[in-house]
């Protein structure tokens, strides 16, 4: 909106006669002054700050930007692959700020701590004045006789759950640093099993629910081996969620009712459980007497739980981080975030959660700007993130070939380490990754099925994990054409140009087998490509056949059905049985093909194989659920299928053999006799 429109009209929109009448020096001076005022006001009201958002939040961000204009807030969305790339964009001044969590701040601190500042926190309305998101405490029965932290040995212990902060990572980190827990250096065991063994040896019984390993067979073995860690649970044989003796409140219930002697939880739940006031909430009645319990401090002293706590560590609040380049604009950024907070909440906008990572139970609070590293150190949280029990530290090395793969692997390594993936991942670049894994220069390599056949047969490798596509361990290969084209059957594709991934890919052999089985080509050409050119006029090799089709380079593309998930509706399938179908139609394909696989050397020890499998599987499980944190599947630096297929939705452990791979191996053997 133009400010002072009546003055603007007078200075700018007068006709020739009026301009003559308005040409006195006074009038000219008046207009110059007005225009200067206009420029100043216009510039001030049109400052645009750039917020970086992960790809999955871009649409929501655009909605926020449009709605924000109604309250005079001018923003621009800077899309990024994920939060990790957002950190890089803020550092490079391509964006002014982003919303993130302490683990993301750790990545920023490792990248370039001096280039960032945390300037606003996302706190809860329950505890708007609390310094930290939560504070980890140990709670005991008041009359427990204990004179040192070593006195915890042999007691019964109640935990929130495996892998969680206050009930697992914090006590393990702090007790290990105190020299109380351990040793945790058995190189014949994985880092997770070292921790479980240490806890099982230190405490007589416990309740520690959850998934102890992302690999089901390993999870079952660990729970059988260290069964005493499940004895205080509501369902010891299950030792998993839901369990009334798990979680923040459940750990206290385990202490009060299930025979526990020490509970690891956070301060706010102590107050809730025992009916004490906290934050903005008044006291409520509780069946438990707060005077019967005490905080156990790290120096083994006790404090009444009705008074100030003694904490073991704290988890910082999530918040907003800017480039230090934008320090002069922090006042405006804070005001804008506060306005967006109120707007999103009052209108129940979905973008408040997707873009700002807030909800109706939180609010944005100003803080003294601080570097991400100092923000973590203040809460004694950095060493909790860096918890790594084995010395020398072990890593799982992934071998990659290209520079782009290496860049993605390094980004994955940083992201996974901040999120407690152990052993940590590492990246090796080689022109021949199969040989590197065979010679134990790396533990893992991701291979297409056809390459995997040679790796298994001639290089002593075996499949460990496979890509999944909407929870399926195999893919349906489909024929895709543009809408409006005349082809109505596979036979109609004769003489057309086909977009295919390069020779040797599973899709290539799937098409070849289909045409042979249906006698559309003869089995008399070697190499196989000659057989296909008997049917198609040309083969257009492409890493992304759908893009090849849409750009007009080919008339048909053969791709896995899952690769079309979320694609625009300007393409259709040609079904093997004839006719056209939409891209979400299952059962239309020409063949079933196996997935990409993660392979390892057959000669590794069982613990090395378990570590390699568990680390990458844990990362895949996390990032398939939360692609905003790190986009494991999808374009990377504008390239498709980097390390993993764009259309994969997760990874799965291979128990013994993968049926679709075994079937495919037989197919390739059959087609090898093409002469």
């Amino acid at each position: 909106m133009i400010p002072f429109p009546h003055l603007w009209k007078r200075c700018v929109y007068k006709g020739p006669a009026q301009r003559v009448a308005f040409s006195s020096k006074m009038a000219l001076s008046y207009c110059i002054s007005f225009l200067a005022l206009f420029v100043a006001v216009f510039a001030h009201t049109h400052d645009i700050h750039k917020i970086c958002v992960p790809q999955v939040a871009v649409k929501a961000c655009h909605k926020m930007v449009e709605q924000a204009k109604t309250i005079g807030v001018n923003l621009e969305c800077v899309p990024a692959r994920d939060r990790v790339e957002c950190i890089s964009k803020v550092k490079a001044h391509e964006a002014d700020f982003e919303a993130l969590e302490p683990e993301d701040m750790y990545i920023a601190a490792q990248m370039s701590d001096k280039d960032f500042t945390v300037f606003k926190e996302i706190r809860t309305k329950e505890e708007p004045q609390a310094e930290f998101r939560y504070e980890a405490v140990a709670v005991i029965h008041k009359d427990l006789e204990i004179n040192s932290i070593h006195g915890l040995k042999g007691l019964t212990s109640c935990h929130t759950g495996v892998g969680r902060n206050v009930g697992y990572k914090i006590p393990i980190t702090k007790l290990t640093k105190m020299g109380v827990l351990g040793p945790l250096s058995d190189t014949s065991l994985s880092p997770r099993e070292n921790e479980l063994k240490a806890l099982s040896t230190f405490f007589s019984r416990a309740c520690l629910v959850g998934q102890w390993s992302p690999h089901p067979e390993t999870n079952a073995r660990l729970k059988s081996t260290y069964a005493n860690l499940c004895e205080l649970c509501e369902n010891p044989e299950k030792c998993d969620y839901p369990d009334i003796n798990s979680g923040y409140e459940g750990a206290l219930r385990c202490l009060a009712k299930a025979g526990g002697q020490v509970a690891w939880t956070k301060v706010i739940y102590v107050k809730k459980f025992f009916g004490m006031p906290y934050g903005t909430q008044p006291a409520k009645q509780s069946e438990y007497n707060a005077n019967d319990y005490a905080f156990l401090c790290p120096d083994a002293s006790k404090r009444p739980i009705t008074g100030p706590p003694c904490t073991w560590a704290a988890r910082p609040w999530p918040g907003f981080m800017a480039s230090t380049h934008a320090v002069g604009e922090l006042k405006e950024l804070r005001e804008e975030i506060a306005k967006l907070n109120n707007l999103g909440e009052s209108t129940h906008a979905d973008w408040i959660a997707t873009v700002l990572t807030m909800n109706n139970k939180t609010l944005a609070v100003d803080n003294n700007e601080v570097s991400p590293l100092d923000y973590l150190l203040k809460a004694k949280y950095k060493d909790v993130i860096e918890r790594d029990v084995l010395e020398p530290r072990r890593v799982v090395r992934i071998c990659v070939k290209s520079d782009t793969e290496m860049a993605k692997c390094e980004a994955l390594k940083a992201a996974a380490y901040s999120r407690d993936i152990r052993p940590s991942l590492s990246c090796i670049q080689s022109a021949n990754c199969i040989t590197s894994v065979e010679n134990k220069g790396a533990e893992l390599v991701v291979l297409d099925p056809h390459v995997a056949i040679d790796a298994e047969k001639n290089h002593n490798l075996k499949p460990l994990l496979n890509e999944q596509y909407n929870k399926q361990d195999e893919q349906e290969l489909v024929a895709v054409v543009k809408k409006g084209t005349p082809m109505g059957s596979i036979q109609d594709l004769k003489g057309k140009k086909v977009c295919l991934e390069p020779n040797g890919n599973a899709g290539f052999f799937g098409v070849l087998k289909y045409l042979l089985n249906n006698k559309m080509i003869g089995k008399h050409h070697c190499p196989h490509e000659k057989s296909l050119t008997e049917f198609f006029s040309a083969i257009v090799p492409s890493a992304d056949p759908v893009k090849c089709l849409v750009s007009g380079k080919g008339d048909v593309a053969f791709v896995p059905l899952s690769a079309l998930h979320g694609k625009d509706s300007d393409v259709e399938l040609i079904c093997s049985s004839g006719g056209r179908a939409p891209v979400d139609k299952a059962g239309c394909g020409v063949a079933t093909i196996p997935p990409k696989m993660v392979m390892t050397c057959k000669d590794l020890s069982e613990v090395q194989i378990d570590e390699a499998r568990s680390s990458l599987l844990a990362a895949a499980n996390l990032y398939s659920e939360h692609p905003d944190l790190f986009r494991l599947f999808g374009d990377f630096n504008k390239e498709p299928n980097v390390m993993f297929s764009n259309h994969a939705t997760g990874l799965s452990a291979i128990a013994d053999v993968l049926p679709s791979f075994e079937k495919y191996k037989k197919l390739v053997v059959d087609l090898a006799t093409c002469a």
Side-chain angles (χ1 to χ4, degrees):
M1 179 180 292
I2 295 173
F4 317 115
H6 59 293
L7 300 178
W8 173 261
K9 275 185 170 183
R10 189 163 183 195
C11 282
V12 178
Y13 290 106
K14 296 294 180 183
Q18 288 112 327
R19 277 203 299 270
V20 172
F22 197 70
S23 61
S24 68
K25 287 184 179 180
M26 182 180 295
L28 182 61
S29 174
Y30 174 89
C31 279
I32 291 172
S33 299
F34 164 73
L35 289 172
L37 173 64
F38 167 77
V39 170
V41 171
F42 188 88
H44 178 74
T45 57
H46 285 73
D47 281 346
I48 298 178
H49 289 121
K50 298 178 180 180
I51 179 171
C52 188
V53 293
Q55 184 177 339
V56 294
V58 170
K59 286 184 179 178
C61 187
H62 289 316
K63 286 183 185 177
M64 181 184 77
V65 166
E66 287 304 309
Q67 202 170 340
K69 291 176 183 177
T70 65
I71 57 169
V73 173
N74 295 300
L75 290 172
E76 180 183 328
C77 302
V78 176
R81 181 187 66 247
D82 45 43
R83 286 192 199 168
V84 176
E85 189 178 35
C86 266
I87 294 170
S88 296
K89 286 182 179 286
V90 171
K91 178 180 183 293
H93 310 147
E94 296 174 35
D96 297 311
F97 71 108
E98 67 171 307
L100 71 181
E101 294 179 318
E103 289 75 12
D104 308 310
M105 296 175 193
Y106 179 82
I107 297 173
Q110 300 304 302
M111 186 183 295
S112 184
D113 186 59
K114 64 181 176 59
D115 287 326
F116 302 103
T117 181
V118 181
F119 67 94
K120 206 170 180 84
E121 296 174 355
I122 299 172
R123 298 184 182 178
T124 62
K125 292 177 182 176
E126 279 187 328
E127 296 187 292
Q129 304 301 319
E131 187 175 13
F132 303 112
R133 181 175 181 178
Y134 53 73
E135 296 173 287
V137 290
V139 182
I140 58 174
H141 297 274
K142 185 182 67 175
D143 56 0
L144 178 72
E145 293 186 9
I146 185 166
N147 300 311
S148 73
I149 292 300
H150 288 272
L152 288 172
K153 184 173 176 60
L155 300 186
T156 54
S157 185
C158 303
H159 303 260
T160 53
V162 73
R164 294 175 64 169
N165 277 308
V166 297
Y168 187 83
K169 291 195 286 187
I170 288 174
I172 288 177
T173 301
K174 303 304 179 181
L175 290 174
T176 302
K177 290 184 73 173
M178 292 175 180
V180 175
L181 188 68
L184 293 91
S185 55
D186 188 342
T187 55
S188 69
L189 304 178
S190 67
R192 172 55 57 85
E193 187 164 359
N194 264 276
E195 294 169 347
L196 294 169
K197 180 182 178 182
L199 291 173
S200 176
T201 303
F202 189 72
F203 295 115
S204 59
R205 295 183 298 151
C207 179
L208 180 66
V209 304
Q211 189 183 70
W212 291 9
S213 169
H215 183 235
E217 287 79 5
T218 303
N219 183 57
R221 177 184 66 78
L222 292 174
K223 287 185 178 178
S224 173
T225 304
Y226 308 106
N228 66 316
L229 294 180
C230 299
E231 289 184 16
L232 297 187
C233 297
E234 177 189 17
N235 297 303
E237 67 289 342
K238 181 183 174 187
C239 200
D240 207 344
Y241 303 103
D243 192 295
I244 59 174
N245 293 335
S246 71
Y248 301 120
E249 188 170 334
L252 291 166
R253 187 189 181 282
C254 167
L255 176 72
K257 283 195 166 184
Q261 293 173 293
V262 59
W264 308 90
T265 187
K266 61 185 186 182
V267 172
I268 187 173
Y269 276 89
V270 174
K271 296 181 182 296
K272 286 182 178 181
F273 189 79
F274 291 104
M276 295 180 283
Y278 61 93
T280 60
Q281 305 301 307
K284 294 182 180 178
Q285 191 170 356
S286 170
E287 63 176 291
Y288 307 103
N289 186 352
N291 295 318
D292 293 339
Y293 298 86
F295 290 121
L296 177 66
C297 303
D299 63 0
S301 63
K302 299 177 186 178
R303 289 189 188 179
I305 63 171
T306 53
C310 51
T311 64
W312 289 63
R315 178 171 169 79
W317 295 106
F320 295 92
M321 185 179 75
S323 161
T324 49
H325 181 74
V327 165
E329 301 173 54
L330 294 185
K331 182 177 184 293
E332 290 82 1
L333 284 175
R334 284 171 169 153
E335 291 172 354
E336 290 175 353
I337 291 170
K339 289 178 181 178
L340 291 169
N341 187 173
N342 293 333
L343 175 65
E345 188 173 332
S346 63
T347 60
H348 306 288
D350 56 1
W351 50 256
I352 191 171
T354 310
V355 180
L356 301 181
T357 67
M358 300 176 67
N359 55 51
N360 61 2
K361 295 181 179 179
T362 62
L363 73 167
V365 177
D366 293 346
N367 69 318
N368 296 324
E369 56 261 30
V370 62
S371 78
L373 179 59
D374 288 341
Y375 192 74
L376 299 174
L377 290 173
K378 182 181 179 184
K380 297 182 285 187
Y381 195 64
K382 178 176 178 283
D383 64 341
V384 176
I385 290 178
E386 293 178 336
R387 182 180 60 93
D388 207 344
V389 298
L390 286 180
E391 291 293 346
R393 293 185 177 182
R394 292 211 294 266
V395 296
V396 172
R397 298 167 295 176
I398 304 173
C399 187
V400 296
K401 291 180 70 174
S402 70
D403 291 343
T404 305
E405 286 179 324
M406 188 65 176
K408 180 173 182 177
C409 187
E410 288 288 344
L412 169 62
K413 167 188 166 183
Y417 187 81
S418 76
R419 296 280 170 177
D420 198 40
I421 304 297
R422 301 291 186 274
S424 55
L425 301 176
S426 182
C427 308
I428 304 295
Q429 189 170 7
S430 170
N432 192 334
C433 280
I434 292 175
T435 300
S436 293
V437 174
E438 180 183 21
N439 295 334
K440 300 185 178 65
E443 283 71 46
L444 299 176
V445 60
V446 185
L447 299 176
D448 285 323
H450 193 71
V451 182
I453 293 175
D454 177 66
E456 183 181 57
K457 182 179 179 181
N458 300 315
H459 297 279
N460 202 36
L461 269 59
K462 71 173 186 177
L464 191 64
L465 303 168
N466 63 270
E467 287 185 345
Q468 280 202 315
Y469 316 96
N470 299 320
K471 301 197 180 296
Q472 298 297 313
D473 293 325
E474 58 187 17
Q475 312 179 68
E476 187 180 354
L477 187 70
V478 293
V480 189
V481 292
K482 286 184 179 180
K483 281 185 177 178
T485 50
M487 294 84 77
S489 68
I490 300 295
Q491 185 64 52
D492 292 341
L493 299 175
K494 186 173 178 63
K496 304 298 184 185
K497 292 182 293 183
V498 61
C499 297
L500 273 176
E501 289 194 61
N503 187 351
N505 181 271
F508 180 95
F509 281 94
V511 175
L512 181 63
K513 182 66 174 178
Y514 178 83
L515 296 176
L516 285 169
N517 284 349
N518 288 276
K519 297 183 172 50
M520 294 181 186
I521 58 174
K523 193 177 180 182
H524 57 271
H525 289 301
C526 281
H528 300 304
E529 192 166 357
K530 288 186 178 180
S531 295
L532 288 185
T533 53
E534 179 184 326
F535 185 80
F536 299 109
S537 63
I539 298 173
V540 185
S542 174
D544 188 346
V546 177
K547 188 177 291 185
C548 167
L549 171 69
V550 172
S551 68
K553 294 179 181 177
D555 304 301
V556 61
F558 285 89
V559 297
L561 178 63
S562 51
L564 301 174
H565 178 69
K567 295 289 183 184
D568 293 334
S569 56
D570 56 351
V571 294
E572 288 182 313
L573 307 182
I574 293 184
C575 294
S576 55
S577 58
R580 306 279 277 259
V583 295
D584 58 355
K585 172 69 174 175
C588 243
V590 299
T592 298
I593 57 176
K596 266 188 173 183
M597 284 169 288
V598 181
M599 302 192 78
T600 192
C601 181
K602 294 176 183 176
D603 292 340
L604 294 183
S605 68
E606 280 302 313
V607 69
Q608 287 176 306
I609 290 174
D610 178 51
E611 287 178 345
R613 176 175 50 216
S614 295
S615 287
L616 191 53
L617 189 57
N621 289 347
L622 174 64
Y623 297 128
S624 60
E625 290 290 326
H626 301 283
D628 56 315
L629 303 181
F630 182 80
R631 194 171 182 84
L632 190 60
F633 309 111
D635 282 5
F636 186 90
N637 289 354
K638 299 181 180 179
E639 290 188 29
N641 308 313
V642 179
M643 290 179 66
F644 301 102
S645 303
N646 271 28
H647 54 280
T649 54
L651 297 179
S652 177
I654 298 172
D656 186 13
V657 295
L658 186 64
S660 61
F661 183 49
E662 297 302 311
K663 183 179 177 181
Y664 178 68
K665 285 191 286 187
K666 185 177 183 305
L667 165 66
V668 172
V669 170
D670 290 344
L671 292 176
T673 56
C674 64

